Amino acid sequence: MKQDIILSGVGGQGILSIATVIGKAALDKGLYIKQAEVHGMSQRGGDVQSNLRLSSTPIYSDLVPMGGCDLIISLEPMEALRYLPYLKKDGWIVTSTAPFLNITNYPEMEKIQAELARLPHVICLDADEMAKEVRSPRSANMVLLGAASSVLQGLSKEALEHGIQAVFARKGEAIVETNLAAFRAGYDHAIALPNA
C-alpha cells in the first residue's frame, strides 16, 4: 500500500489538523509516514500546503513528485487547481467549493468549477456550509476529511475517527464530538455520490 496526498488551503483553515489526524491514524495502523509542510503567509490568508506520504514499506522522500499524487484534499477550490501538475491521471481531488477571496484577481468561480468538472475523479462540497449544518462551523476541515476518507486508501473510516478522538481529546469531549459529527457529515455526503 502506498498513497501520496497533497493537502492545500489557506492559513487558518485547518489543513495541518487534517494532516495530524491522518498521520495519527496511519501510525496507529503501523504504516510509514513522511510529511512536509509549506506555510505561506498563513496569518494573512496565504497558501498553506502539506505533502503527506503513507506506505506499508519505508519511504525515503517526504515530497510528493510531479505526477505522483494520488489525492489532493483542498479546503479552497483555486488551491486545488494549483496542484494539478502533481496529480496522477487517475488521482482524486476532494475540494470545498467555498472560495476564500483573499486576492483581488481571484478567478471567476464558474471557470474554477469548469476546470474541476473536466477532471475524472472529483468530489466537490461546500464544507463550510456542511459544518454549519451540523452545528460545528469551525470544523469544515473535518467535513472535508470525511469526504476524502471515502477514497483514501489504507485507512478506514473508523481508523480516522480514532485519529480525530486522539488528536482532539485534550480539548474535551464536546470538541471531539463536534469534529466527529463534521467528519461523518462529509463521509455520508461523499459515499452518496455516484462517482465515489
Side-chain angles (χ1 to χ4, degrees):
M1 176 267 158
K2 181 180 91 61
Q3 188 158 46
D4 288 341
I5 304 165
I6 291 178
L7 306 169
S8 65
V10 295
Q13 288 187 306
I15 287 298
L16 300 180
S17 293
I18 294 174
T20 303
V21 170
I22 294 173
K24 173 65 175 150
L27 290 173
D28 287 349
K29 289 292 180 184
L31 296 175
Y32 292 91
I33 181 171
K34 290 271 187 178
Q35 181 181 359
E37 298 169 4
V38 176
H39 304 267
M41 296 296 286
S42 57
Q43 49 285 61
R44 296 185 185 149
D47 172 36
V48 175
Q49 178 252 8
S50 181
N51 284 224
L52 197 54
R53 306 189 78 196
L54 311 175
S55 180
S56 54
T57 58
I59 305 165
Y60 299 102
S61 173
D62 54 359
L63 297 176
V64 174
M66 286 279 199
C69 182
D70 298 291
L71 174 61
I72 294 172
I73 302 173
S74 184
L75 271 157
E76 210 288 328
M78 185 182 74
E79 292 299 327
L81 296 178
R82 180 190 303 263
Y83 297 101
L84 280 183
Y86 289 89
L87 192 65
K88 286 181 176 177
K89 288 183 181 177
D90 61 344
W92 279 85
I93 293 179
V94 179
T95 185
S96 181
T97 57
F100 189 92
L101 303 175
N102 58 343
I103 55 174
T104 55
N105 59 343
Y106 193 95
E108 295 174 20
M109 276 307 297
E110 293 79 19
K111 289 181 180 176
I112 292 173
Q113 289 167 343
E115 187 72 27
L116 289 168
R118 291 195 327 217
L119 300 167
H121 304 295
V122 179
I123 296 173
C124 294
L125 67 160
D126 188 336
D128 292 343
E129 189 58 37
M130 290 182 72
K132 290 175 190 169
E133 288 172 9
V134 295
R135 294 186 169 89
S136 186
R138 296 183 65 201
S139 299
N141 59 340
M142 292 299 111
V143 170
L144 199 64
L145 177 58
S149 72
S150 69
V151 295
L152 188 63
Q153 298 172 6
L155 296 175
S156 67
K157 173 182 178 272
E158 293 74 23
L160 291 164
E161 287 178 341
H162 289 302
I164 291 168
Q165 291 167 339
V167 168
F168 292 103
R170 64 184 170 80
K171 295 187 176 188
E173 190 61 30
I175 298 297
V176 169
E177 289 305 318
T178 57
N179 279 284
L180 285 171
F183 174 87
R184 290 169 182 152
Y187 177 82
D188 291 344
H189 174 82
I191 62 168
L193 296 172
N195 64 341

